[in-house]
Amino acid sequence: EEYIRWYKAAGFTDIQIKYITPKAYRGIRSHGLIMGLTICGRKPVAGLPKIKLGPKSETTVQEGDADTSLVSKLLFLPRFLLGVAAGAYYAILPLFVIAYARLFLKESPVYEVKNIS
C-alpha cells in the first residue's frame, strides 16, 4: 500500500502491481524475503513529480572524516561477521524454498496482475 501512495503522489496513473513469485513464496513471510514484486504505472504529464521531498536524512562521509574511535574499530569484526551471515541467509534460503516447492507443491507458479487506479 505504501508503494501505491508513493506512485500516486509522484503523479502516476494506471498503477499495476504484478506478483511474479513462485507459489512457495506466497503468504509465507516468516523467512523475511520479498521476492518478485513489480509496480509500474503511466505518467500522463512529463516533468517533475507532484510530490515535494524534504531534505535527505543521510549524510555522506568525506575522505578523512571516517569514525576511527576505538569502539568503531572493535565493532568492525562483529558487524562484518553479522553481514556475512545475513548475506549467506539471503543467498541460501531461496534454494531451500525452491526445493520445498518442487518437492511438496505440485501446482505451477501463478502470476497475478492487480490493477490499481
Side-chain angles (χ1 to χ4, degrees):
E1 296 298 322
E2 190 174 24
Y3 292 123
I4 295 168
R5 284 197 315 269
W6 291 342
Y7 270 67
K8 286 183 179 179
F12 286 90
T13 61
D14 300 328
I15 300 168
Q16 293 183 353
I17 299 175
K18 186 172 184 180
Y19 298 92
I20 54 172
T21 58
K23 186 85 170 155
Y25 284 107
R26 300 277 165 84
I28 303 171
R29 294 296 305 279
S30 61
H31 47 65
L33 295 177
I34 300 171
M35 304 285 287
L37 173 71
T38 61
I39 304 174
C40 54
R42 188 171 52 92
K43 190 167 182 184
V45 180
L48 296 174
K50 296 182 214 175
I51 189 170
K52 301 294 182 206
L53 301 175
K56 291 183 181 179
S57 62
E58 303 90 21
T59 59
T60 57
V61 177
Q62 300 296 327
E63 188 174 333
D65 291 344
D67 185 14
T68 56
S69 68
L70 179 62
V71 173
S72 176
K73 289 178 182 178
L74 290 175
L75 288 177
F76 173 76
L77 185 61
R79 288 176 59 198
F80 177 76
L81 293 175
L82 181 63
V84 169
Y89 173 76
Y90 280 103
I92 294 172
L93 183 65
L95 300 175
F96 286 110
V97 173
I98 290 169
Y100 171 82
R102 293 221 172 143
L103 291 173
F104 299 108
L105 300 176
K106 301 301 178 195
E107 297 177 27
S108 63
V110 177
Y111 300 97
E112 299 175 18
V113 176
K114 187 177 177 182
N115 290 319
I116 310 294
S117 294

